[in-house]
Amino acid sequence: MAEWFQIKVDSLVKVNNNEEKKDILTEIKIKLGSCSHAEIEAIARSLDTGSLFLLFSSNDREVTEQICLIFKTLFEVLEPGEIYQKYPTRIYELISHSDVSVRSLILKELLSTASNQQTQLLLLTDVNLIVAVINRISDEDLTVATSAMCIIKEIGKDVNGLKILYHGEPLRTFAKLVVKNDNVSFRIYDVIINIAKNSKEALEATIQSGFLNSLIDILQNVDILLQMNALETLTELALTEEGLNYLEQQNVLTELVQKIAQANENPLSNLLIPGLMKFFGNVARLWPNEIFSKYPIVVSSLFEVLDSENHIILGVALDTLGHVASSVEGKYALQALGDSMLYALKKIAEIIQRMPTELRISSMNNLTLILNVQSIEQDNRILSLTKSWFDALCDDPLGLIVGLSKQPFADIRSASLEVLAVVASQAWGQEYISTYPGLIEFLLDRNIETFKECKETKYKVVKCLSEAESYIFDANTMQKFKQFVNEGPFYVETNTEVAFESAT
């Protein structure tokens, strides 16, 4: 069979007419489509595909795309690095091919090679290839640029790769691209931050390259949009301990706090508030006590913007609060702030009841994070805290959530059921549910739910209730919960069962 394919491939080079080439390529595609995985693998290994590479010089886009599809089929069955080992010169040349389909094909194959620890070594010996890949980070096609970025990120994970990237021609290529234009420069910054996160040595090498400090300098740029991009990129670095320490040493966090304090002085500065909130929210999720104690203005500003009429800023504030409160340590740090958190919870309840749908759903999603505690982390102290927070929402918090879970809108209904699932996972919540009129019947009634996601979430609620301590629900109710769980989320009662139950 391989011989048939070789004959066809060789004939392609001899044919000058594009239509004839297309016919042969179609034959090859059809034949490949009828082969098993093992047969394609045997063909890919024995076939001399050098002739196919030569056809990439064709001006006919359809011919080029068909060849790409054939190569894609062959590449998929080969081990990473096999094609590069066989045709290193061809691969190097095609990285800069004029057709985006070819560039994308070659870079995806190189990404497969770079992602494998053994085969990555092949690339590390080819500095010219690495430089060619770095240059593709500036590609006009985002898919190609992203593949190139991913390859360099993989190379940056290796100690030797790190040395190669920040030395000689690769370093000079980075330097040329970082000043090319804003889009390309932030692609480069994205890559260098990703590399810097890998280890202490990687961070040190990135600092020495000078790129990290040039990114930090953008935070002082008069262009607010550039500041926002820089802030978003630096957030990734701040989520590592070494990265955060370096940013603190460079007074970056102090300067960001000043931006929050001075936000009212410049109307454009308000555009930065969402990014600043996200930055400190992400960092505070990992180190809540340190951030809250060192930068109290961040906390006070977070609670202040909950009163904002700007729905974008309000949405980010809710996400930040939920993000910080998602860990037990974050919950205790927020509790230590006193009445601020209780005020925030009342505000969340108001938003759930009165604001536009998007904000209502956001509030419920973040309320889920605020109240959620993994079973392994549950103890009297944390359960007492989540109970007090739930009670602080309004006069009848369970009634509020149950009411929303009965609305005919899938998004509202699903978000409220998620809150109910978190309540049902904690002993105090199970007690609340056990005494709430009609709620157990509502949860066990399968005929009410028509939306798939709501059926799944309601199942989650009942499953939590089925694991409650025996003193909370009577034996009959527990049996119903367990039967519901055993039947699964999408169980449908037959007419016979319904008729039988009615008769009894």
Side-chain angles (χ1 to χ4, degrees), residues 53-54 87-98 102-103 106 129 132:
F53 280 123
L54 291 173
Y87 306 102
T89 304
R90 294 288 183 206
I91 293 294
Y92 172 75
E93 291 169 351
L94 293 173
I95 288 174
S96 306
H97 195 277
S98 59
V102 179
R103 298 198 303 275
I106 297 302
L129 181 82

Side-chain angles (χ1 to χ4, degrees), residues 305-375:
V305 296
L306 287 173
D307 287 319
S308 174
E309 294 181 4
N310 184 317
H311 289 179
I312 294 174
I313 292 178
L314 180 55
V316 172
L318 289 168
D319 290 342
T320 302
L321 191 61
H323 208 53
V324 174
S326 62
S327 69
V328 169
E329 187 183 1
K331 286 176 171 62
Y332 287 140
L334 289 167
Q335 181 190 27
L337 300 174
D339 293 340
S340 295
M341 191 60 189
L342 299 179
Y343 171 79
L345 288 158
K346 292 185 186 303
K347 188 67 185 178
I348 286 173
E350 288 178 19
I351 295 169
I352 288 172
Q353 294 174 83
R354 298 187 180 91
M355 287 285 192
T357 300
E358 189 176 344
L359 277 174
R360 295 172 74 195
I361 292 168
S362 174
S363 290
M364 285 188 279
N365 290 342
N366 286 296
L367 180 60
T368 298
L369 293 173
I370 291 167
L371 296 175
N372 186 49
V373 184
Q374 297 298 318
S375 57

Side-chain angles (χ1 to χ4, degrees), residues 18 21 55-64 97-99:
N18 280 332
K21 285 181 181 177
L55 290 173
F56 277 137
S57 60
S58 171
N59 293 323
D60 191 304
R61 182 162 175 74
E62 191 179 336
V63 169
T64 301
H97 195 277
S98 59
D99 194 292

Side-chain angles (χ1 to χ4, degrees), residues 222-242:
V222 293
D223 189 326
I224 294 291
L225 293 177
L226 288 182
Q227 288 188 51
M228 288 166 64
N229 288 336
L231 190 57
E232 184 177 351
T233 306
L234 284 169
T235 300
E236 291 299 310
L237 183 63
L239 298 182
T240 65
E241 193 169 356
E242 290 86 2

